[in-house]
Amino acid sequence: MKTYLVGGAVRDRLLGIAVKDRDYVVVGAMPEEMLRAGYRPVGKDFPVFLHPQTHEEYALARTERKTGRGYHAFAFHTDPSVTLEDDLRRRDLTINAIAEEEDGALIDPFGGARDLEAKILRHVSPAFAEDPVRVLRVARFAARYADRGFRIAEETLALMRGMVADGEVDHLVPERVWAETQKALTEKTPGAFLRALRDCGALRVLFPEIDALYGVPQRAEFHPEIDSGIHTEMVVDMAARLAPGDALIGYSALVHDLGKALTPKDMLPKHIGHEHRGLAPVEAVSTRYKVPAEYAALAQLVCKLHLLAHTALELKPATVLGLFEQLDAFRRPERIESFLIACEADKRGRLGQSESAYPQADYLRRAFAAASAISAREFVERGVHGPAIGEAMRKARIDAIAAL
């Protein structure tokens, strides 16, 4: 029995990134041996165990064979005859198929270290095409490493295009699409996730509402980048910069402009009313991928109200209060910050505007603080009762905003 460190821990160490999780593969062992050594089984489809002290994952070396469509349709085989190279061969990318011995020596049969040096995301073997999730995973790795100059190998892109053409991507279950998308939105450059999916044709299949934005023009004086799809890439990247790792804000940024794909052609490049036209496609995406309720709710609000935020400095105090009420911000004050960051990402996610100021956010923060300071107690103490309390509070809040 021999144990090797594998996968992300080896890759990240070679990239100079702090290693968070360590996974190990065990060669030459049977499940009974692992149990006798005190390891706790956790794997459902194949033997994975937790170390009795460190609780890190140890998986028995395995091979896999495709038995049907989709990413569930695999038969796994583990026994002491499965070699380390057999196990590494089934992995997605060469940079994830590097193993490390206890003394630190690398075992790299597929050139992963070389591809790390060359900054290339390359598939390990033709078996890559058997698992449609790998299309999403490669796109997610593109989002993770685009800022380091990584690119997808042309032969890997060709394989991904073939998977889309063969209908493999059609068999992805909603939960897995959302899981990979959510992770991509926590990376440094989620725009690269969209580009990778679009380059292989998967964006059209999985997110037709987003794919439809590409080629749709916007007014150059407001959007020097012109293309609505490029703008979306820039907005999700700006959201990742303003709120690192926050997929809630990232999702709102991702779908905030879906209405622009529905603008009548005779109206282009103007997009009057796109914030309302976008509500239906935002709901469609959220429903299709079973997006968490708070993600879906904030995405609808950002879509509907982001133009109000952009014009905040010109709004009447009553309209500002109405914005807070539509956000249900007095009951959910945490929404204010998420909403404002998503709106700022939209404003700064434009060509040449990444460093521009967004004073609207600070004004709305101050306005919300002023309005929130008004409480019902002071009116009850004055003898105000029933619906009159709400009316009095609303007037006081408008006055507080007006006083800024």
Side-chain angles (χ1 to χ4, degrees):
M1 184 171 83
K2 195 163 184 182
T3 300
Y4 301 88
L5 183 67
V6 293
V10 182
R11 178 198 68 228
D12 288 349
R13 183 182 68 76
L14 293 174
L15 285 172
I17 298 172
V19 175
K20 295 179 181 178
D21 300 309
R22 289 175 171 80
D23 295 314
Y24 297 85
V25 66
V26 182
V27 177
M30 294 288 288
E32 295 77 18
E33 294 174 73
M34 302 294 287
L35 294 172
R36 283 197 298 271
Y39 288 80
R40 183 162 60 87
V42 292
K44 295 179 181 178
D45 299 320
F46 45 82
V48 179
F49 302 85
L50 297 183
H51 190 281
Q53 278 81 47
T54 66
H55 305 295
E56 293 172 325
E57 283 194 3
Y58 287 70
L60 296 188
R62 68 183 188 269
T63 58
E64 57 190 38
R65 179 174 54 83
K66 191 167 179 63
T67 59
R69 288 281 199 173
Y71 81 100
H72 277 308
F74 287 91
F76 298 94
H77 171 68
T78 62
D79 71 37
S81 69
V82 177
T83 67
L84 176 63
E85 186 169 332
D86 290 335
D87 184 272
L88 295 176
R89 185 178 288 107
R90 67 171 179 78
R91 296 173 185 266
D92 51 7
L93 297 172
T94 60
I95 64 170
N96 297 328
I98 311 170
E100 185 178 294
E101 300 200 61
E102 291 180 6
D103 64 1
L106 295 182
I107 300 174
D108 184 17
F110 304 105
R114 182 180 63 243
D115 283 343
L116 279 176
E117 186 71 25
K119 300 181 178 180
I120 293 175
L121 302 174
R122 190 193 316 274
H123 64 284
V124 173
S125 76
F128 176 98
E130 296 178 351
D131 185 355
V133 170
R134 290 177 170 175
V135 170
L136 289 164
R137 278 179 55 82
V138 171
R140 177 161 62 83
F141 276 105
R144 179 178 298 179
Y145 297 130
D147 69 315
R148 291 173 171 259
F150 274 71
R151 62 181 177 82
I152 302 172
E154 283 302 320
E155 60 268 32
T156 302
L157 259 180
L159 206 56
M160 292 163 66
R161 290 180 184 125
M163 294 166 72
V164 174
D166 290 344
E168 276 290 339
V169 171
D170 299 344
H171 294 273
L172 284 167
V173 298
E175 292 83 357
R176 196 59 193 269
V177 175
W178 170 245
E180 294 295 328
T181 301
Q182 185 179 33
K183 289 175 185 175
L185 291 170
T186 68
E187 304 291 1
K188 286 186 178 180
T189 50
F193 176 76
L194 299 180
R195 286 193 296 278
L197 292 181
R198 188 162 182 262
D199 283 347
C200 71
L203 191 66
R204 183 181 65 254
V205 176
L206 299 174
F207 295 100
E209 300 88 350
I210 298 172
D211 188 68
L213 291 170
Y214 288 87
V216 176
Q218 303 164 106
R219 291 173 65 183
E221 65 266 38
F222 300 121
H223 287 275
E225 72 284 354
I226 298 177
D227 190 293
S228 298
I230 301 300
H231 170 58
T232 297
E233 292 178 12
M234 298 175 78
V235 174
V236 292
D237 284 350
M238 181 56 66
R241 173 179 159 186
L242 297 174
D246 194 322
L248 171 62
I249 293 171
Y251 181 64
S252 295
L254 177 68
V255 298
H256 81 286
D257 259 355
L258 295 187
K260 288 181 176 177
L262 302 176
T263 299
K265 284 186 169 54
D266 61 357
M267 189 184 291
L268 295 173
K270 295 181 179 181
H271 291 278
I272 298 167
H274 77 275
E275 69 275 24
H276 301 295
R277 279 192 295 273
L279 295 176
V282 169
E283 183 179 4
V285 174
S286 297
T287 300
R288 182 163 70 247
Y289 292 120
K290 303 178 183 180
V291 170
E294 183 56 21
Y295 282 66
L298 184 67
Q300 286 277 339
L301 291 167
V302 171
C303 177
K304 181 182 179 183
L305 302 172
H306 65 278
L307 294 187
L308 273 182
H310 295 341
T311 57
L313 300 179
E314 292 82 47
L315 297 180
K316 294 178 181 178
T319 307
V320 173
L321 179 62
L323 170 62
F324 298 150
E325 290 170 341
Q326 289 188 76
L327 290 169
D328 197 16
F330 296 109
R331 289 196 314 124
R332 298 174 177 269
E334 71 282 356
R335 270 191 185 166
I336 282 288
E337 194 61 23
S338 296
F339 172 77
L340 291 178
I341 292 174
C343 292
E344 182 173 355
D346 173 38
K347 198 67 172 178
R348 293 172 61 184
R350 308 178 189 203
L351 191 64
Q353 297 184 28
S354 63
E355 304 306 318
S356 61
Y358 191 63
Q360 297 92 324
D362 285 336
Y363 167 69
L364 288 171
R365 288 184 185 102
R366 289 188 290 111
F368 182 66
S372 297
I374 306 299
S375 70
R377 179 181 299 175
E378 57 189 277
F379 298 101
V380 172
E381 290 174 351
R382 291 184 205 167
V384 181
H385 301 290
I389 295 175
E391 294 170 10
M393 285 183 66
R394 199 168 194 283
K395 183 178 184 306
R397 283 172 168 167
I398 291 172
D399 291 343
I401 294 170
L404 293 176

